[in-house]
Amino acid sequence: MTEKQINLLIITGMSGAGKTVAVQSLEDLGFFCVDNLPPLLIPKFAELIEQSGGRIKKVALVIDLRGREFFDTLSDALSRLEEMEHIHYQILFLDASDQVLVQRYKETRRRHPLAPEGMPLEGILAERRLLEELKGRANLILDSSQMKPVQLKEKISGYYSNMKSQMTVNITSFGFKYGIPIDADLVFDVRFLPNPHYIDELRPKTGLDQEVSGYVFQWEQTNEFVERLLDFIGYSLPHYQKEGKSQLVIGIGCTGGKHRSVSIAEYLGEKFKEEYQTRVSHRDIERDRK
């Protein structure tokens, strides 16, 4: 397959087969998602994405029979996508048995879009006929009949999580004297490391300054600690991903959140940014600045 800059996933299939769950799963994987986009607008939307300057590289579009007056234009839209140099598109078709779909409509008490005044089965059978050709063009067909929402999410994550940045790793430094971040999943205490606060010329600086970072990392215990920490986090992240976690917050704390924790957080951010979408922040770096 030719490498292209933008991956565009078209989500379609039977109403009630799990398109909402699919969108939620793909959003967690870093996709820019648009629900119920008329097929007529797909090529124009793709052009806008191409003009984003690389800021958007993974897009998921939900196309279904809610926009049925536009649905006949889908074939032409797909042909135009194939002509676009930087777009690679795939089709995900979600399906389920008629019996399961009928049961889901009964449970939700919703009306089928193709049979608003009739029985759900009538709409299901009509929709299946209309989607037959599109199903034949699908790159992947997932039958959700025997799946709970969490299982469908895991399936979709398994198929589409091979792109970079499927999980966001948020690394934040903080000061224990101001409290532990309430949204932290993992917290590491670096107060045992030598403290630049007691060096007069370093006290007014922060862990973002080279002089402070150099001081923090000149000690053997610092380097031994970060190597062990890298091993632990590097081992843990794939398992968090496997469980379907879309983002992880790692807190690095020292006394005031200004020196040691900042330097360590910056170091970790550099180490993991190639494999994960990594964000580094410093909650307390401006407190008590002197």
Side-chain angles (χ1 to χ4, degrees):
M1 181 183 297
T2 303
E3 283 295 324
K4 300 192 178 184
Q5 295 181 2
I6 301 170
N7 290 280
L8 190 154
L9 180 63
I10 295 174
I11 307 167
T12 189
M14 299 296 294
S15 301
K19 291 191 286 291
T20 299
V21 173
V23 169
Q24 294 170 348
S25 303
L26 292 163
E27 285 178 338
D28 289 344
L29 295 176
F31 280 76
F32 181 88
C33 298
V34 179
D35 190 14
N36 199 25
L37 183 73
L40 187 67
L41 299 181
I42 291 177
K44 177 57 68 176
F45 180 80
E47 290 176 8
L48 294 174
I49 296 298
E50 281 189 306
Q51 296 168 14
S52 70
R55 293 189 298 273
I56 300 176
K57 294 185 177 181
K58 299 187 294 182
V59 181
L61 304 178
V62 178
I63 306 296
D64 58 30
L65 291 175
R66 286 175 293 172
R68 45 193 174 274
E69 66 270 26
F70 299 101
F71 203 76
D72 292 339
T73 64
L74 181 57
S75 181
D76 291 338
L78 295 180
S79 296
R80 291 184 59 186
L81 284 180
E82 292 170 359
E83 298 171 357
M84 302 179 74
E85 181 180 359
H86 300 296
I87 300 290
H88 167 65
Y89 81 86
Q90 296 184 48
I91 298 174
L92 167 63
F93 190 98
L94 294 167
D95 203 354
S97 69
D98 294 344
Q99 181 178 359
V100 168
L101 292 174
V102 168
Q103 184 61 37
R104 289 175 181 174
Y105 271 99
K106 287 184 177 181
E107 291 173 353
T108 61
R109 298 183 180 180
R110 296 183 62 191
R111 297 179 178 182
H112 193 281
L114 294 186
E117 304 300 330
M119 304 294 287
L121 183 59
E122 295 176 11
I124 291 168
L125 295 177
E127 184 179 32
R128 198 173 290 285
R129 288 192 298 269
L130 288 170
L131 293 176
E132 185 177 4
E133 180 181 349
L134 184 57
K135 183 176 181 180
R137 299 183 63 168
N139 302 89
L140 175 65
I141 300 172
L142 286 180
D143 189 322
S144 66
S145 300
Q146 304 301 319
M147 297 184 197
K148 295 180 180 179
V150 66
Q151 294 171 320
L152 178 58
K153 183 175 181 179
E154 289 174 358
K155 276 281 187 182
I156 291 172
S157 297
Y159 280 109
Y160 298 107
S161 65
N162 58 340
M163 302 176 188
K164 181 187 173 183
S165 306
Q166 66 246 30
M167 181 172 71
T168 300
V169 179
N170 294 286
I171 303 172
T172 182
S173 67
F174 70 93
F176 274 98
K177 70 178 182 178
Y178 303 115
I180 296 174
I182 61 173
D183 55 350
D185 298 294
L186 299 172
V187 174
F188 298 97
D189 185 349
V190 298
R191 287 176 292 184
F192 68 92
L193 299 177
N195 193 349
H197 175 79
Y198 297 110
I199 309 298
D200 291 341
E201 60 269 27
L202 298 182
R203 187 177 301 119
K205 299 180 182 294
T206 75
L208 297 177
D209 294 305
Q210 182 58 46
E211 300 95 322
V212 173
S213 181
Y215 177 86
V216 171
F217 280 92
Q218 76 176 354
W219 306 98
E220 182 179 349
Q221 62 257 51
T222 302
N223 290 281
E224 184 176 350
F225 169 73
V226 295
E227 287 304 313
R228 296 187 181 208
L229 188 56
L230 285 173
D231 285 343
F232 174 77
I233 296 175
Y235 171 81
S236 302
L237 290 181
H239 294 284
Y240 281 112
Q241 278 187 345
K242 186 177 180 180
E243 289 300 312
K245 198 167 184 64
S246 61
Q247 61 176 316
L248 187 76
V249 180
I250 301 174
I252 308 294
C254 62
T255 303
K258 182 178 174 183
H259 297 114
R260 294 165 291 181
S261 61
V262 173
S263 294
I264 301 298
E266 287 289 322
Y267 179 85
L268 294 176
E270 283 296 314
K271 289 294 184 180
F272 289 110
K273 71 178 184 180
E274 293 300 321
E275 189 172 356
Y276 301 93
Q277 179 173 310
T278 304
R279 299 171 183 168
V280 180
S281 60
H282 307 293
R283 191 191 70 178
D284 301 320
I285 194 171
E286 294 297 329
R287 291 180 185 258
D288 299 333
R289 196 172 177 93
K290 297 179 182 180

